[in-house]
Amino acid sequence: MKAATRLQGVKDNWEALRGDLDEALTYNRKLWVILSTSATSADNPLPKAIKESIGSLGVFVFKHTISVLANPAPERLAILININRDIAAGLRGR
C-alpha cells in the first residue's frame, strides 16, 4: 500500500510532485523485485500457476514503469496503483 500511496500522491498532485515521480517509481520497482523474486523462487511453495502469474505481472510492472519514465503522464500511473492495491488486498485476504 505504501507504494500505491506514493504513486497516487504524485498522480493527484502532478504539477507539485512531478519531481517525485522517479523516486516513487523506484520504490515501486524495488518492491516488485522483492515480490517477484520471492514468489517465483524454486523453494516457494506456491502452485506453479500462481508463481507464473506473479512473474508475468512483475514483468508487466517493470515494462510499464520504463514506459512511464519515457513518457510521463499522471494517468499512466493508474494501472500501477491499481495493481498494487489489488495485490495488497489479496494478501490481506479480501
Side-chain angles (χ1 to χ4, degrees), residues 13-82:
N13 301 295
W14 185 253
E15 294 304 318
L17 298 178
R18 184 176 178 182
D20 295 341
L21 177 63
D22 187 55
E23 183 181 328
L25 288 171
T26 298
Y27 182 84
N28 192 59
R29 187 173 53 244
K30 287 178 182 179
L31 171 73
W32 274 92
V33 166
I34 293 166
L35 178 62
S36 298
T37 303
S38 72
T40 59
S41 72
D43 63 340
N44 188 308
L46 288 171
K48 182 180 178 187
I50 293 176
K51 288 176 152 185
E52 290 173 353
S53 293
I54 292 172
S56 294
L57 194 54
V59 170
F60 172 82
V61 167
F62 299 139
K63 286 182 178 181
H64 191 72
T65 298
I66 291 168
S67 176
V68 171
L69 286 168
N71 186 19
E75 63 275 3
R76 301 192 73 219
L77 297 176
I79 189 69
L80 296 174
I81 294 164
N82 291 335

